[in-house]
Amino acid sequence: MKQSSVRVKQSIPRAKPTKKRYIILLMVFVSVVINYMDRSNLAIAGPHLASDLGLSSVQMGYIFSAFGWTYAFLQIPGGLLVDKFGPRVMYTISLIGFSLATLLQAFVKGFGGLFGLRLSIGIFEVPAFPANNRIVTSWFPEQQRASAIAFYTSGQFVGIAFLTPVLVGIQSAIGWKGMFIVSGLIGVAWGILWYFFYRDPSKHKKVNQEELDYIAEGGGLVDLSNERGTSKTKKIGWKHRKVVFTHRKLWGIYIGQFCAMSMLWFFLTWFPTYLVEYRGLSFIKSGFLTSVPFLAAFVGVLLGGTFSDWLLKRGFSIGVARKTPIITGLLLSTSIIGANFVDSTTLIIVFMTIAFFGNGFASITWSLVSALAPKELLGVTGGTFNFIGNLSSIAIPIVIGYLVRGGNFAPALIFISVVALIGALSYIFIVGKVSRIELQD
């Protein structure tokens, strides 16, 4: 009888892990697409909006820059809020907040109202990427994390490269005011859905214990929401938080992120102007060619994450697996300098495409925030990382403007190339060995 009982127990298969983490990842991806849609739709509406409201080019310059000022400088407080309240609440506030501000842009009457709303969009988008990092760190084991980060990061290129024609079509049909209203309503609806459907792993009713075990055994921090506020949790004070601002390894990734984001902001701001004013392309032709590097960056993001996780699964250390695509991508980005030595439009676009592909390939930088940050300070570390990275949105357009004021764009491309090289050197020499930073009692 005992032997029969044993055989019966052995024949019961262990439940397979659920795969709810992929649904969560898809939700993050959609959030990033909406995030970047609301960042970039002003560029589409800009010419018609400026004409209707009587705004000068100087005023439009200030309006375009407004988002970056609030978004960059509030990243650290935003990270602290994500640590305190978690991604379910903060992402809901973020999505609904910046979407309402987007919608209200349809009703502005002049410079002041539009400038204020762009500032508020930057404020409400602040928690998004620290929350993204916390979500992926909670929901994915280390061996899948770079691919997960690459997937949601690719949403920013989808939001710019693929949704631009859609937004242009909406604007053509119902005007720039209608485009802002549609964009805003989409975000508000998604924010409500996020609140009702997102949960941290340990609180998600449709996640089985096998999936939780799989994530936890692979280094995923599935119990972050449960640990917050319990007696077992360290009391976090300034002596702990100062690690975020003083640790050498973290400064290595901060510098590297500034350098990587610098390339992105060149393409988001000066690239079309470079093609039209400094290379003599027509507006229509430049509009088509502008999309080519963005598509290359989209491919680079997906390949970088896949390659990183492939290295990790083949037994390479987490440092090698994460830093190799980042360093390789940043070194590829230095090829942008090659455009200074060719006159063929095709070759110019080739160099730009290689450079932006490299930038995409390197964009798994958030995986090092997940791997290095103290688990109690994931949000504030991500906020600091994103703050320093997004200082490039303020600095790079201004610096390039000064460099090209004499009518020669070559110094600007040299500058961007050198910045990319500095980023690669930062990951090589400053970050060093990758291991999680533990807070001391």
Side-chain angles (χ1 to χ4, degrees), residues 6 26 30 70 80 84 117 121 129 207 234 239 243 256 272 279 291 305 335 355 389 415-416:
V6 170
L26 182 61
V30 172
T70 50
L80 288 168
K84 183 173 179 61
L117 286 171
I121 290 173
F129 272 80
V207 175
K234 286 188 180 77
K239 68 177 181 179
V243 171
R279 288 298 191 171
S291 67
S335 65
F415 168 69
I416 292 296

Side-chain angles (χ1 to χ4, degrees), residues 328-375:
T328 302
L330 286 167
L331 292 176
L332 279 174
S333 292
T334 65
S335 65
I336 197 170
I337 198 173
N340 283 341
F341 303 100
V342 296
D343 294 317
S344 163
T345 299
T346 300
L347 290 177
I348 291 168
I349 296 301
V350 165
F351 280 114
M352 293 289 168
T353 300
I354 293 171
F356 211 24
F357 170 84
N359 187 255
F361 198 70
S363 66
I364 61 163
T365 48
W366 278 95
S367 65
L368 287 176
V369 179
S370 298
L372 288 170
K375 65 179 182 179

Side-chain angles (χ1 to χ4, degrees), residues 280-416:
L281 274 66
S282 68
F283 184 78
I284 294 175
K285 188 174 183 180
S286 69
F288 168 73
L289 293 176
T290 299
S291 67
V292 176
F294 278 98
L295 293 174
F298 172 74
V299 174
V301 170
L302 298 180
L303 289 179
T306 303
F307 178 59
S308 178
D309 283 344
W310 180 85
L311 289 175
L312 196 62
K313 290 173 183 176
R314 293 302 181 278
F316 289 91
S317 70
I318 187 172
V320 171
R322 299 309 187 223
K323 291 199 294 183
T324 298
I326 296 171
I327 294 167
T328 302
L330 286 167
L331 292 176
L332 279 174
S333 292
T334 65
S335 65
I336 197 170
I337 198 173
N340 283 341
F341 303 100
V342 296
D343 294 317
S344 163
T345 299
T346 300
L347 290 177
I348 291 168
I349 296 301
V350 165
F351 280 114
M352 293 289 168
T353 300
I354 293 171
F356 211 24
F357 170 84
N359 187 255
F361 198 70
S363 66
I364 61 163
T365 48
W366 278 95
S367 65
L368 287 176
V369 179
S370 298
L372 288 170
K375 65 179 182 179
E376 301 89 347
L377 299 173
L378 277 169
V380 69
T381 305
T384 306
F385 177 80
N386 215 22
F387 159 62
I388 295 175
N390 277 282
L391 287 178
S392 61
S393 69
I394 301 167
I396 296 304
I398 295 172
V399 171
I400 291 178
Y402 278 101
L403 290 174
V404 304
R405 59 184 171 174
N408 181 11
F409 213 92
L413 297 186
I414 294 171
F415 168 69
I416 292 296

Side-chain angles (χ1 to χ4, degrees), residues 44-67:
I44 296 168
H48 297 291
L49 181 150
S51 176
D52 290 350
L53 299 182
L55 301 175
S56 69
S57 60
V58 173
Q59 287 176 311
M60 286 302 295
Y62 279 109
I63 288 168
F64 279 128
S65 70
F67 168 88

Side-chain angles (χ1 to χ4, degrees), residues 189-344:
W190 183 250
I192 295 170
L193 290 172
W194 177 273
Y195 183 80
F196 282 105
F197 288 100
Y198 178 79
R199 296 292 187 277
D200 286 337
S202 59
K203 295 183 177 181
H204 201 296
K205 294 180 180 179
K206 295 186 178 181
V207 175
N208 66 11
Q209 188 61 45
E210 285 73 20
E211 183 172 12
L212 291 176
D213 292 343
Y214 175 75
I215 296 169
E217 289 166 7
L221 305 180
V222 295
D223 292 321
L224 275 175
S225 58
N226 287 339
E227 289 176 3
R228 191 173 63 246
T230 67
S231 59
K232 294 181 180 179
T233 306
K234 286 188 180 77
K235 185 177 181 181
I236 304 301
W238 170 247
K239 68 177 181 179
H240 298 112
R241 290 193 177 99
K242 71 178 181 180
V243 171
V244 173
F245 310 104
T246 58
H247 203 286
R248 177 181 61 84
K249 292 179 185 293
L250 294 179
W251 271 103
I253 64 173
Y254 298 160
I255 294 169
Q257 183 68 354
F258 177 89
C259 296
M261 292 292 288
S262 296
M263 180 69 68
L264 173 63
W265 282 102
F266 162 73
F267 278 95
L268 289 177
T269 57
W270 278 98
F271 180 48
T273 302
Y274 167 71
L275 293 180
V276 175
E277 295 188 10
Y278 294 86
R279 288 298 191 171
L281 274 66
S282 68
F283 184 78
I284 294 175
K285 188 174 183 180
S286 69
F288 168 73
L289 293 176
T290 299
S291 67
V292 176
F294 278 98
L295 293 174
F298 172 74
V299 174
V301 170
L302 298 180
L303 289 179
T306 303
F307 178 59
S308 178
D309 283 344
W310 180 85
L311 289 175
L312 196 62
K313 290 173 183 176
R314 293 302 181 278
F316 289 91
S317 70
I318 187 172
V320 171
R322 299 309 187 223
K323 291 199 294 183
T324 298
I326 296 171
I327 294 167
T328 302
L330 286 167
L331 292 176
L332 279 174
S333 292
T334 65
S335 65
I336 197 170
I337 198 173
N340 283 341
F341 303 100
V342 296
D343 294 317
S344 163

